[in-house]
Amino acid sequence: MSVYIDLDVPADPMRQRLYDGNLVVLTRLHAVSDLVEYARQELTELFKPHDPEHAHEHFDPAEMARMLGVWKPHFIHSDTAKKLVREIIREAGFQAEHTHYDVPKPRTSFPLGHLTTGVAFAFPWHRDVWYSAPAQQINWWLPIFPLRDDNAMAFDLQSFAKEVPNNSDDFDYYQNNAGRLTTAAQVTRERQARPGALDHQPGHQLVLLPAPGEVILFSGAQLHASIPNSSGLARFSIDFRTVDAQDLMAGRGAPLVDVRCTGTAIRDFRNVVDESSFDEETVTRLFGAPPPDALLVFGRAEAERSAKSM
Ligand SMILES: [Fe+2]
């Protein structure tokens, strides 16, 4: 496995290297810096007069959960954030016509002892494909402020295509969508199913520390974890995902060796050019028919309902 910095190949072979378990870091995309700048402005406004990296010193966990529960859906669905994500994808050389993307998610990781549930949950070792991501999913992950090795993300590259004991059979995408209606209100205890590796001890863990303005690309089948934050500083990052429609149709993607969840996240993805989603006939053919009462997507309306339910 390799980590490629500014890999200079067309998008098709770049995706293949990611499906094969390698990582790519892109350091020269102007739109990444623009998204970082936009997120910093938003966070500065949200926490003013306090420094966002020290915000946890000024708001208790319940207040923080309330603030983030309102702000996160606002950011996720803002036209500016989505426009910048589309620019990042194009600037990276991915073909807009057959690339579909999901909305950008801001993530927060507070120092241990503060808010670590609900909107600020620290993910243990997991693959996104255990959360019903398709084999074609590529994750794009970027920090908003400088990272440190005690508040970043870790990869277990050696376990990429190896079976790892996990509880993904507890996870159903549509039930999870229904459960998310109350996530933001969770301050002290998790109520959502969160698939993870069982007692996983990586032989070696790789911690990548891209600078603000740089972005890591990795397959949704990659085993990764949030490092419990002992830095004293809040960590803010943004991630979004892409799926290539041609790869999806052709069945090209990462190996799925230990995935037992049900449902699919594929309906969350929108075309970069015209915002169209995959047609339902294709989705049903590739992933099977959902149950009649399934909550297929957790969209803006559901996010607003969730924020108001607190
Ligand atoms: Fe993840």
Side-chain angles (χ1 to χ4, degrees):
M1 303 292 180
S2 302
V3 181
Y4 295 92
I5 311 293
D6 294 326
L7 177 64
D8 190 15
V9 300
D12 289 1
M14 189 185 296
R15 289 196 310 280
Q16 191 57 53
R17 306 241 186 141
L18 294 164
Y19 298 155
D20 291 341
N22 302 293
L23 307 181
V24 172
V25 181
L26 300 177
T27 71
R28 298 177 192 161
L29 305 182
H30 295 294
V32 173
S33 300
D34 292 346
L35 183 58
V36 167
E37 187 52 38
Y38 174 61
R40 283 186 183 183
Q41 283 170 11
E42 286 272 311
L43 290 167
T44 301
E45 179 66 26
L46 178 67
F47 295 121
K48 72 179 181 188
H50 309 295
D51 178 341
E53 290 182 282
H54 291 271
H56 54 284
E57 296 162 16
H58 305 281
F59 304 99
D60 66 31
E63 177 68 2
M64 187 67 84
R66 192 196 63 74
M67 292 167 74
L68 292 173
V70 174
W71 176 73
K72 283 193 171 186
H74 153 78
F75 182 91
I76 286 171
H77 297 283
S78 77
D79 290 338
T80 305
K82 285 196 282 190
K83 176 173 151 288
L84 289 169
V85 165
R86 293 193 297 268
E87 278 180 35
I88 292 169
I89 293 165
R90 288 176 193 268
E91 215 183 335
F94 282 53
Q95 299 96 327
E97 294 70 24
H98 49 93
T99 302
H100 289 233
Y101 75 108
D102 188 10
V103 288
K105 314 252 172 50
R107 311 275 181 191
T108 39
S109 166
F110 293 105
L112 295 167
H114 199 271
L115 179 64
T116 51
T117 52
V119 290
F121 182 73
F123 284 83
W125 289 105
H126 71 282
R127 310 186 197 274
D128 285 20
V129 289
W130 294 343
Y131 287 75
S132 306
Q136 292 74 23
Q137 179 172 299
I138 291 169
N139 292 22
W140 303 59
W141 190 95
L142 56 112
I144 303 304
F145 298 102
L147 288 171
R148 297 161 45 136
D149 53 12
D150 50 3
N151 70 1
M153 183 176 44
F155 294 93
D156 177 359
L157 296 180
Q158 290 168 339
S159 297
F160 177 67
K162 293 199 186 118
E163 196 169 338
V164 168
N166 70 84
N167 60 346
S168 61
D169 45 351
D170 288 345
F171 187 83
D172 175 80
Y173 197 68
Y174 314 127
Q175 284 173 14
N176 185 64
N177 281 340
R180 282 176 64 192
L181 291 170
T182 56
T183 299
Q186 294 168 26
V187 176
T188 54
R189 203 166 66 83
E190 282 299 317
R191 287 193 292 266
Q192 271 184 273
R194 307 269 200 182
L198 303 174
D199 299 325
H200 185 64
Q201 300 295 336
H204 174 77
Q205 66 173 40
L206 173 69
V207 180
L208 269 184
L209 300 169
E214 303 179 347
V215 58
I216 308 176
L217 277 63
F218 62 98
S219 161
Q222 201 66 257
L223 195 62
H224 60 288
S226 307
I227 295 172
N229 187 348
S230 56
S231 70
L233 297 175
R235 186 257 277 166
F236 299 92
S237 61
I238 295 176
D239 52 86
F240 59 91
R241 302 97 194 276
T242 55
V243 167
D244 183 90
Q246 293 186 344
D247 289 350
L248 181 72
M249 301 307 168
R252 279 188 298 269
L256 303 183
V257 294
D258 53 11
V259 177
R260 291 183 294 277
C261 52
T262 52
T264 175
I266 197 70
R267 295 181 187 82
D268 294 348
F269 292 84
R270 294 279 182 275
N271 183 268
V272 170
V273 175
D274 63 10
E275 296 282 320
S276 62
S277 46
F278 290 104
D279 69 85
E280 192 58 28
E281 196 187 320
T282 302
V283 172
T284 303
R285 178 168 53 80
L286 294 175
F287 298 94
D293 56 343
L295 184 54
L296 298 178
V297 293
F298 185 87
R300 185 173 199 159
E302 287 76 22
E304 281 166 2
R305 254 173 75 200
S306 170
K308 280 186 192 129
S309 73
M310 288 179 293

